[in-house]
Amino acid sequence: MTEPNDRRQGTHDAPALIRIEDVFRRYPTGVEALRGVSLIAHEGEVVCIIGPSGSGKSTLLRCVNGLEPIDRGRIRIGDREVHAKSRDAREIRRQIGMVFQSFELFPHMTALANVSEGPRTVLRMPRAEVETRARALLAKVGLSDKADVLPAQLSGGQQQRVAIARALAMQPRAMLFDEATSALDPETVGEVLNVMQQLAREGMTMLVVTHEMAFARDVADWVVVMENGLVLEEGTPHTIFGSPRLARTREFLLRVEHAPARRVEP
């Protein structure tokens, strides 16, 4: 079994919240999306997963959230296994919020209703409490004035911020971001990255698949480089971006550094 790298600088005292151990995922077409991936995210840590398209990054997040089955290996959230055949498997998945490339909002519901739906129908919370929480979360992502607006009337960045608020409404222990800015216009990317940076400052555990290298460099505690369903290397942003061990990592970073930088605000 490939052991996940648990050597951290500055976060080693925090317990591991997400532990991925030697995970394999093969699609019915025969494509091996994951070929023995192992990694750890500690509580309060931001782990950015980078690499070329088709590396298996999005598949990995979907496996962590239970949206994709795994063929071998183990994924644990705290002391519980995500894919265990037990009654609490669904409860475990509720602890992990996920934000997709496409916003996945209910088009016929207002922003407030989208954020309220999960706590109301899944957690069975009282309506008044749900609405109070939903309005607070919309304010948190800078959309308190958009509560009664339908998704079609919002910009892409605004829709993605509603999606983040919706995921937070379930009070997750960790958040997964799957290329959350890839479908956005350059003008709205910063809106979403700033919300993600705020969550990082507040101590939210986050697994972030991203092509935003500036965000990974500035915000991540740990960076994992993937290619062809494998972890090529991992380390602190200083190590990965400053002195990567592998030539393949250096080639990838050299190629993407020519993309326009989208830095978050300090």
Side-chain angles (χ1 to χ4, degrees), residues 8-185:
R8 298 291 200 266
Q9 297 178 7
T11 59
H12 60 277
D13 292 331
L17 178 57
I18 301 173
R19 184 179 289 269
I20 302 166
E21 299 176 354
D22 207 34
V23 166
F24 286 75
R25 169 61 173 149
R26 179 194 290 267
Y27 287 109
T29 58
V31 173
E32 289 185 310
L34 301 174
R35 300 189 289 151
V37 173
S38 298
L39 64 88
I40 286 174
H42 294 272
E43 287 190 6
E45 189 175 50
V46 178
V47 176
C48 281
I49 306 172
I50 65 174
S53 297
S55 298
K57 306 183 300 294
S58 295
T59 297
L60 181 63
L61 288 198
R62 292 176 66 84
C63 288
V64 172
N65 205 38
L67 297 174
E68 294 267 1
I70 62 174
D71 300 307
R72 205 170 96 199
R74 185 168 68 170
I75 299 174
R76 297 178 69 85
I77 307 300
D79 60 355
R80 295 181 175 181
E81 194 164 346
V82 171
H83 293 274
K85 294 180 180 179
S86 61
R87 292 182 178 180
D88 62 357
R90 184 178 178 186
E91 177 60 31
I92 295 170
R93 287 194 290 270
R94 288 179 188 169
Q95 300 177 29
I96 307 296
M98 188 159 180
V99 179
F100 300 88
Q101 298 178 36
S102 54
F103 319 123
E104 305 291 345
L105 299 177
F106 295 113
H108 62 289
M109 293 184 176
T110 64
L112 182 66
N114 266 282
V115 177
S116 301
E117 182 68 8
R120 186 178 62 81
T121 61
V122 178
L123 301 182
R124 305 292 184 184
M125 292 175 56
R127 183 177 297 274
E129 183 179 348
V130 168
E131 182 169 332
T132 297
R133 177 189 293 185
R135 290 189 182 279
L137 287 170
L138 286 174
K140 181 185 184 73
V141 299
L143 294 173
S144 57
D145 60 334
K146 303 296 184 181
D148 299 320
V149 174
L150 293 172
Q153 300 169 292
L154 299 173
S155 70
Q158 289 170 336
Q159 290 186 60
Q160 194 62 292
R161 283 185 282 157
V162 172
I164 293 173
R166 180 182 59 184
L168 291 172
M170 297 295 289
Q171 296 182 306
R173 297 180 67 187
M175 289 282 287
L176 312 179
F177 291 87
D178 183 14
E179 295 286 7
T181 61
S182 65
L184 303 181
D185 294 330

